[in-house]
Amino acid sequence: MARSQWGSRLGFILAAAGSAIGLGAIWKFPYVAATNGGGAFLFIYLGICLTLGLVLMLSEMALGRASNAGAVGAFRRLAGGFWPVIGYMGVLVCFLILSFYSVVGGWTIAYIGKALDGSIMTADAKALGGIFGSFISHPLQPLAYHAGFALLTLAVVVGGVQKGIEGLSKFLMPALFVLMLLLIARGLTLPGAWDGVLYFVTPDLSKVSGAMLVDALGLAFFSLSLGLGIMITYGSYVDRESNLLGSALWVIALTVATCFLAGLMVLPAVFAFGFDPSAGPGLTFITMPAVFAHLPFGQLFAVMFFCLLLLAALTSSVSLLEVVTSFAIDELGLSRRTAACGMAAGIFLLGIPASLSLGVWGDFLVMGMNFFDLLDFLTSKLLMPLGELLLALFVGWKAWPVVRGELSSGRSPRLMRCMRGFCMALAPALIGWIMVVSI
Ligand code: PHE
């Protein structure tokens, strides 16, 4: 059966960027940067994205196009043996991520409601913290929204690759950028906002630690959707003529730009309104309403912001569900509809303890973490880096001829040799070192 193909190169870039840009950039990046002390984190994150991120994204896209297969199939077709384990791991991690991603996606739906009924239209830091806290710790409400988000994701995936993903991304990205720029302009003109900008961009090297490095590494992979076979799957829908390097650079530039804008949007407001920068996962949800409260037509902007955040989250969650679904179709022989429904149901179930662990099950700790943090730790700090480490070894030692074949036309042999050397030794050593020092 012929594999579906992207309608155009732009369609591919937008869909890949749609997968990358999501809650990672807008929800996770600001609070992780803030808890890690700002500036230094930003630069380390950028450094990782432009080196490891670029090479690994390019490798994933090349593997996908060369094998014409998804996450597991690519490794099986190109090498066999032990290597498909990387693909299986990727599928598992997609499943794990989606369970808590969908919980946070549900929060965005809930906040659309709260923006509509005006209940978050206040600049009172305490009140906003209280609204967020009592919402996420409620035993039932967040679960209903989590179900809603999972269902939306399912609806798009059952609709198919082109219609679903491409259509959504084209409209979304420009709208998101414009709105973020506007919110930044408002945030920066608030008294006290400048302290937040300085906090965000001034590197303080005393804050650099093993824990921060692994946070930056994990966030880089998470925000770029790397290490799980997503870019392999998407690469397999790309036609032979497309220039993969250019596409990968675009995706990374767009994602990094969104993270940067999200930081500029949230952190100045944190300082202007006296919020706690280390507030954790609630930071974006707690801080942004205070900005809306200071805008003319604030309520309208609030609704628009959470709608766009929801759409950005959806284009990412769709890519996650797409990987597990095509795995179930290819490996278990299920129909698309059955595969997607079964997986979405599993993801919903796993999200239940993740959501409850922020409230009624908060005392149940594993290795000192609640279930939500545990899922985040297992995926971002353990399995994604490990997956990328193995992928780099795979590209450098095993699949190099194929990857070179996909990438080399018109490129200097020196550049290609550098990339191979990077994958064979430097990238695995770097990832391994960061994982070790963080322990
Ligand atoms: N990159 C997505 C985001 O930032 C999340 C994601 C991670 C999607 C891994 C796919 C794979 O929101």
Side-chain angles (χ1 to χ4, degrees), residues 16-29 45 90 93-94 97-98 101 218-231 255 259 312-321 323 380 384:
S19 162
I21 297 172
L23 296 172
I26 303 169
W27 158 71
K28 205 171 184 198
F29 178 84
Y45 168 82
V93 177
C94 282
I97 289 183
L98 195 46
Y101 203 88
L219 187 59
F221 293 155
F222 186 91
S223 62
L224 293 172
S225 302
L226 288 180
L228 314 179
I230 294 210
M231 295 300 161
T255 310
C259 288
L314 263 180
T315 54
S316 304
S317 62
V318 160
S319 71
L320 288 160
L321 187 59
V323 168
S380 288
M384 291 175 97

Side-chain angles (χ1 to χ4, degrees), residues 250-313:
W250 265 111
V251 175
I252 292 181
L254 288 170
T255 310
V256 166
T258 314
C259 288
F260 185 73
L261 291 182
L264 269 189
M265 181 177 79
V266 173
L267 287 171
V270 167
F271 281 75
F273 295 113
F275 290 103
D276 173 12
S278 57
L283 198 65
T284 302
F285 289 90
I286 297 174
T287 311
M288 291 317 292
V291 179
F292 302 130
H294 278 73
L295 267 175
F297 308 109
Q299 195 169 4
L300 181 69
F301 285 114
V303 175
M304 270 166 56
F305 175 76
F306 288 112
C307 284
L308 286 174
L309 187 55
L310 169 64
L311 285 176

